[in-house]
Amino acid sequence: MPGNNTDSIPLWPLLLYAGLVSILLVVILTLSYILGQHHRDRATGKPYEGGIEQTGSARIRFSAQFYLVAMLFVVFDVEAVFIMLWALGFYELGWRGYIGVAVFIGQLTVVLVYEWGIGALNIGANAKKILKVHMMKQLQNK
């Protein structure tokens, strides 16, 4: 097939690079093992963070609501990247780009209002329930 030069691209530079990286990896890990400290103190295996001693298990159950809010954060964070990329090409895109991003932001706003309305963003205690219980206790005390 005329114009197809993919057969003439040498493969040896890629193999040489992969071989050098592999050798360097083995050398670094071996030196780290040989020269590193080997001690078995009592506190060596204990997790330590910020000067706080470990209490209880690290296996804490989180509400599914927490993961929903985390996913929504990631989704809106990715959308922010798209908007920043649009801002970089603002002058080249002109009015068509501006209208496109305005529609995009409008859709994001509608989705955010919807999620807020159905309570998808509430991960804490329900403030209305707490207020209702508090008011009932006050009425019972009178």
Side-chain angles (χ1 to χ4, degrees):
M1 189 170 188
N4 189 359
N5 292 334
T6 58
D7 294 333
S8 64
I9 297 175
L11 190 59
W12 69 266
L14 178 64
L15 295 175
L16 177 67
Y17 179 74
L20 288 175
V21 167
S22 299
I23 291 170
L24 186 62
L25 178 70
V26 169
V27 167
I28 289 173
L29 289 175
T30 304
L31 283 176
S32 174
Y33 180 76
I34 293 170
L35 299 175
Q37 296 180 3
H38 300 283
H39 53 84
R40 299 277 184 229
D41 292 339
R42 193 174 66 151
T44 300
K46 288 181 70 176
Y48 179 83
E49 185 169 335
I52 300 171
E53 285 290 326
Q54 170 184 337
T55 59
S57 173
R59 308 246 186 260
I60 300 172
R61 289 181 169 246
F62 286 102
S63 168
Q65 199 76 15
F66 172 79
Y67 295 107
L68 178 63
V69 171
M71 284 191 318
L72 293 175
F73 174 77
V74 169
V75 166
F76 281 100
D77 200 37
V78 169
E79 309 312 352
V81 170
F82 287 133
I83 293 171
M84 286 181 214
L85 290 174
W86 165 80
L88 288 174
F90 176 74
Y91 292 111
E92 291 84 13
L93 295 172
W95 281 103
R96 292 184 70 178
Y98 180 77
I99 292 169
V101 84
V103 169
F104 182 67
I105 292 172
Q107 289 174 343
L108 287 177
T109 305
V110 168
V111 169
L112 183 62
V113 168
Y114 173 74
E115 289 169 350
W116 191 1
I118 64 171
L121 302 176
N122 299 333
I123 61 171
N126 190 345
K128 290 180 183 178
K129 285 182 181 178
I130 293 172
L131 185 60
K132 187 176 180 180
V133 169
H134 182 67
M135 295 300 257
M136 293 298 284
K137 285 183 181 180
Q138 283 185 345
L139 289 174
Q140 289 174 356
N141 291 337
K142 287 185 178 181

